[in-house]
Amino acid sequence: MSRALKLELREIDVSYGASQILFGVSIEIEKGATMALLGRNGAGKTTTFRAIAGLVAPSAGQILLNAKAINGLSPYRIARAGIGYVPEDRQVFPEHSVEDNLRIAKKPGAHRQVYWNLQRIYEVFPTLYSIRQRAAGRLSGGEQQMLVIARALMGNPELILLDEPSEGLAPIMVQQIARLLLRLREMGVTIVLAEQNLHFCQTVATHVTIIDKGQIVLRDKAENLERDAEITRRYLAV
Amino acid sequence: MNLPALLDCVSSSSCVVTQVSTGLIIGMLLFLVASGLTLIFGVLGVINFTHGSFYMLGAYFSLTAYRVTGSYFDAVIAGALGVAVFGVVFERLFISPVYNSNVLMQLLVCYAFILILDDVVKIVWGTDFQTMGMPATFALPPIHLFGGFVPPFYVFLTGLTVAAAFSLSVLVNKTRFGKLVRAAAVNRQMLSCLGVNTSLLYAAVFGLGSLLAGAAGALAAPVRSMSPEMGFSILIESFIVTVIGGMGSIIGAFFAAVLVGIIRAFGSIGYPLFTDGLMFAFMALVLLVKPTGLFGRKLA
């Protein structure tokens, strides 16, 4: 979709008040990859995403997008630099229609490129077209999840952060989201997703990073996960 | 209580026309102030206690502009735009640092500025009552309407305010700016993550609210005498209007302002010593029947 992209977290620490959540987290994502950040509840996945999106400032370390530091920028500047954020609790604008939720997010990408518009969104998300006039607060969880992914795309991001897109959805909806992510991957959208669902990650991700107690414990290609079975059991089994 | 006078008035068409038109202009001015107040509260979550002082500044700005240029239209523009600019600077410097603070901290900042601005007005314009007088453009014979007489300025003020209310409602409900404003009211952080500069948006909303208060001051200048305390009484009435209409509702503010204006106009004949009390009684009645105000919605 655009030029080469690289997101890099270098040794970032994040604390909320006195409690430190992330300890020297380093992550690299190359253009076109779909990286799953796996970990239990409370492992630090959401905090990592919030740090990338600019919602919490790292106390140490750097976040670089295409070699430029983005930590410390306001969330809107990070969004304009090309990072789309889909939070765990979706955060639709409940009283706005589906279409208005999409329109609000409309902006050109970091290099002024415009690939995504309403028409393209509706081609990829036909369900959203059929409910475009409905208030977003009245959609089902799965419909809301599609809406927020589409909303992030409307900003023509180079990379999207998806926080637990399969959480709380019926299995059939999870499959639909997985198919959608595969399609976006084919289209060249770089995706980072936080997940607890190992199977879901194996289906959609190219790379896997496991986080535990705020530290990265494994980085590998998704196809090697079987080989890392011992590690995945240790860090992901409940 | 003077019931015979009230009965005399409602049985005479000229008195009814006079009181209704007086009530309407009270209502229109209240709407302009209250709509800015409710807009700022609805989006920014801040109760701008300084809003009455913005109305006062609008009146004094327009007075000076009128004395300098001799044109009432210039005076209205000076009052509205001058206060809008002042509001934006005020929001950036003093209100934005306290968005996430306790409401008492916000109240403290605003109350400080009520006192400061009153003193600034005393220093610049003096402590005496000042009047603009009816601008030459409107120094025309009253219009004969339904057996009564209405000053042309009243018609102008009412027409302009209704147009402003309509434009404001279109702006908030139909435009991209309005969609962003309503989204910011619900979830500022998420909107920011979508690439919207919400600080700019907040400043714009505060500026718009201030513009409305400044315009109200400028429109009040020909029909009200000005004094450094004029901001405080309209602040209280605007709160009443906002509460009756429903916090955050612009259409609610409009109807509530008209109702309060009419109550004041007729109350001043029937209950001259209890006009303010009538407003409070009406507010209490509305709150008993509908605690969220006439057009207010339950908070989620």
Side-chain angles (χ1 to χ4, degrees), chain B residues 85-295:
Chain B
V85 170
F86 180 84
V88 169
V89 174
F90 177 70
E91 188 272 342
R92 283 292 88 199
L93 294 182
F94 303 105
I95 296 294
S96 67
V98 293
Y99 277 137
N100 299 319
S101 308
N102 189 304
V103 67
L104 285 175
M105 185 59 89
Q106 300 173 352
L107 177 63
L108 192 67
V109 171
C110 290
Y111 191 62
F113 272 89
I114 292 176
L115 300 177
I116 291 169
L117 292 175
D118 277 2
D119 282 353
V120 167
V121 164
K122 284 177 196 159
I123 293 166
V124 177
W125 286 279
T127 49
D128 297 341
F129 279 89
Q130 306 234 19
T131 50
M132 179 187 272
M134 189 52 68
T137 330
F138 294 102
L140 304 165
I143 299 164
H144 192 79
L145 209 67
F146 306 117
F149 290 94
V150 179
F153 183 75
Y154 283 27
V155 177
F156 166 74
L157 198 160
T158 307
L160 194 68
T161 308
V162 169
F166 182 74
S167 312
L168 195 63
S169 136
V170 170
L171 181 72
V172 171
N173 293 306
K174 301 286 177 205
T175 65
R176 178 174 167 82
F177 174 77
K179 284 170 187 165
L180 292 178
V181 163
R182 284 183 290 125
V186 178
N187 190 341
R188 179 186 185 180
Q189 189 171 290
M190 190 63 233
L191 190 63
S192 176
C193 287
L194 296 173
V196 176
N197 184 347
T198 49
S199 297
L200 196 67
L201 192 66
Y202 270 35
V205 169
F206 205 92
L208 179 61
S210 310
L211 180 117
L212 291 164
L219 290 170
V223 287
R224 294 276 185 278
S225 54
M226 287 164 238
S227 69
E229 284 82 31
M230 69 188 284
F232 201 72
S233 60
I234 197 149
L235 178 73
I236 302 296
E237 291 174 33
S238 300
F239 274 132
I240 294 174
V241 163
T242 309
V243 170
I244 292 174
M247 295 292 268
S249 167
I250 288 170
I251 182 161
F254 187 83
F255 284 105
V258 170
L259 284 172
V260 167
I262 299 285
I263 287 172
R264 283 201 78 97
F266 283 97
S268 66
I269 293 178
Y271 309 87
L273 300 177
F274 196 62
T275 325
D276 285 342
L278 284 177
M279 275 192 319
F280 282 107
F282 181 57
M283 177 174 82
L285 186 72
V286 168
L287 289 181
L288 279 175
V289 178
K290 198 161 182 295
T292 51
L294 293 176
F295 288 82

Side-chain angles (χ1 to χ4, degrees), chain B residues 8-151:
Chain B
D8 270 358
C9 180
V10 291
S11 57
S12 132
S13 59
S14 79
C15 184
V16 169
V17 168
T18 304
Q19 292 317 110
V20 167
S21 63
T22 307
L24 271 180
I25 67 153
I26 297 172
M28 295 299 113
L29 294 174
L30 271 178
F31 165 73
L32 288 172
V33 177
S35 61
L37 195 66
T38 205
L39 186 70
I40 290 171
F41 173 75
V43 181
L44 282 62
V46 168
I47 299 173
N48 179 25
F49 289 94
T50 327
H51 215 67
S53 308
F54 289 5
Y55 163 81
M56 169 186 75
L57 281 183
Y60 279 100
F61 284 175
S62 70
L63 176 70
T64 299
Y66 183 66
R67 284 176 181 166
V68 171
T69 67
S71 154
Y72 180 63
F73 293 100
D74 290 352
V76 172
I77 291 183
L81 284 187
V83 174
V85 170
F86 180 84
V88 169
V89 174
F90 177 70
E91 188 272 342
R92 283 292 88 199
L93 294 182
F94 303 105
I95 296 294
S96 67
V98 293
Y99 277 137
N100 299 319
S101 308
N102 189 304
V103 67
L104 285 175
M105 185 59 89
Q106 300 173 352
L107 177 63
L108 192 67
V109 171
C110 290
Y111 191 62
F113 272 89
I114 292 176
L115 300 177
I116 291 169
L117 292 175
D118 277 2
D119 282 353
V120 167
V121 164
K122 284 177 196 159
I123 293 166
V124 177
W125 286 279
T127 49
D128 297 341
F129 279 89
Q130 306 234 19
T131 50
M132 179 187 272
M134 189 52 68
T137 330
F138 294 102
L140 304 165
I143 299 164
H144 192 79
L145 209 67
F146 306 117
F149 290 94
V150 179

